[in-house]
Amino acid sequence: MKTVEELRPVVYEAIRSGYRLIADSATVYRNEEALGQILNEIFEDPSFGVQRKDLFITSKLSPQNQGFDACYQAVHDSLERFGLDYFDLYLIHWPGTSKKKLSDTVNEENRTNSYKALEKLYSEGKVKHIGVSNYTEKHLNHLLSVCTVIPHVHQFELHPCLYQPGILEICKKNSIQIQAYSSLGEGSLINGEVKIDCLQDIAQKLNQSKALVLLRWAVQHGWIIIPKSKTTARVKENANVLSFEIPKDDMDLLDNVHTFEPRRFCWNPSDVY
């Protein structure tokens, strides 16, 4: 959990650098109240020139709040912690339920009912867009067979080592916006822990950092990126992701990395029923 004092300089710099997406918030991160305080400071400070309507603010459902009633109440609780009237996007954070076995069939029932709650909140205007996070092809296909509102966003781990063509195709076919997280492999793709020769070569050729190349790779695919930045300097650097382009041949090289260097760095939802 980050304090207001820790988050304030980074969020302030992000807004001043042109960032308008506030995406890495969730009940389980315990950062909603701190972010809400900082954002309301920004809204009230005319030097930022930013109003609520200018930002796209997201939060996510805790696995312990799966189910219709619990999800419905959780969204209202999150709005209260943020001090907001609505979210621009709200996601089901994880396909499973806290304290339930991964193989328990109740996981499917709970997340289905959670999504029904989001559909109701969407109709009420409390959330402007709804979606999911960390769903596999199986989870996503089941949701699409029962939902009345197709997810607007699917947020999942996505980088050259975890390309997941199947999920990408489902999202493309159903016009679901992809939002990539862990674009840098939790830092392992840029700190030398996982060596990808073509990434180093491309970065040198373009005179860019490996981090920016990875972020640009995602952007050129049309995916939303949410890079985590702990320092104001990194926030400024990431803002340069739109200043260059990766040639197609190099994009193809990065697309192919998962075939010889498959890696997952975050939660694995594959065994959740």
Side-chain angles (χ1 to χ4, degrees), residues 8-175:
R8 184 181 285 115
V10 177
V11 177
Y12 275 21
E13 183 58 46
I15 298 300
R16 290 191 174 109
S17 297
Y19 289 69
R20 294 296 181 264
L21 173 64
I22 308 297
D24 201 25
S25 54
T27 299
V28 297
Y29 299 159
R30 294 186 295 166
N31 62 357
E32 293 174 319
E33 190 170 353
L35 275 171
Q37 179 179 328
I38 295 166
L39 292 176
N40 281 288
E41 291 172 2
I42 290 170
F43 299 148
E44 294 170 4
D45 187 340
S47 69
F48 285 97
V50 172
Q51 302 176 44
R52 168 66 185 93
K53 65 182 178 62
D54 299 320
L55 298 187
F56 193 96
I57 301 172
T58 305
S59 200
K60 299 190 279 289
L61 181 74
S62 169
Q64 70 180 3
N65 297 134
Q66 290 276 29
F68 187 95
D69 292 338
C71 174
Y72 189 84
Q73 184 60 48
V75 174
H76 282 279
D77 292 343
S78 289
L79 285 170
E80 184 175 348
R81 284 191 289 271
F82 261 100
L84 299 174
D85 295 325
Y86 67 91
F87 284 118
D88 297 281
L89 173 65
Y90 198 89
L91 306 173
I92 296 176
H93 202 159
W94 177 252
T97 303
S98 294
K99 299 181 180 180
K100 298 295 182 182
K101 292 182 179 180
L102 298 180
S103 59
D104 196 326
T105 58
V106 77
N107 288 309
E108 181 177 271
E109 178 184 353
N110 282 349
R111 65 175 175 268
T112 298
N113 288 329
S114 293
Y115 196 81
K116 289 180 180 178
L118 293 189
E119 290 177 325
K120 178 176 174 60
L121 289 156
Y122 173 70
S123 71
E124 295 171 345
K126 289 298 181 181
V127 291
K128 303 299 184 183
H129 303 83
I130 58 178
V132 297
S133 181
N134 295 299
Y135 275 36
T136 64
E137 293 179 51
K138 179 189 74 173
H139 302 140
L140 201 52
N141 280 324
H142 175 262
L143 176 59
L144 289 169
S145 73
V146 298
C147 69
T148 58
V149 179
I150 292 177
H152 299 110
V153 173
H154 182 18
Q155 181 192 101
F156 56 99
E157 182 179 351
L158 182 55
H159 45 72
C161 292
L162 193 65
Y163 189 51
Q164 305 193 79
I167 294 179
L168 298 176
E169 182 58 32
I170 294 172
C171 290
K172 180 180 179 180
K173 179 181 178 181
N174 292 279
S175 299

Side-chain angles (χ1 to χ4, degrees), residues 187-224:
S188 296
L189 301 182
I190 61 173
N191 63 13
E193 183 177 330
V194 177
K195 188 176 180 181
I196 302 175
D197 291 336
C198 69
L199 174 60
Q200 180 66 39
D201 294 341
I202 294 168
Q204 289 180 347
K205 181 171 66 175
L206 298 176
N207 195 27
Q208 301 289 343
S209 68
K210 289 188 288 186
L212 272 182
V213 169
L214 289 168
L215 296 178
R216 180 66 199 183
W217 171 77
V219 168
Q220 280 187 217
H221 273 297
W223 309 327
I224 296 170

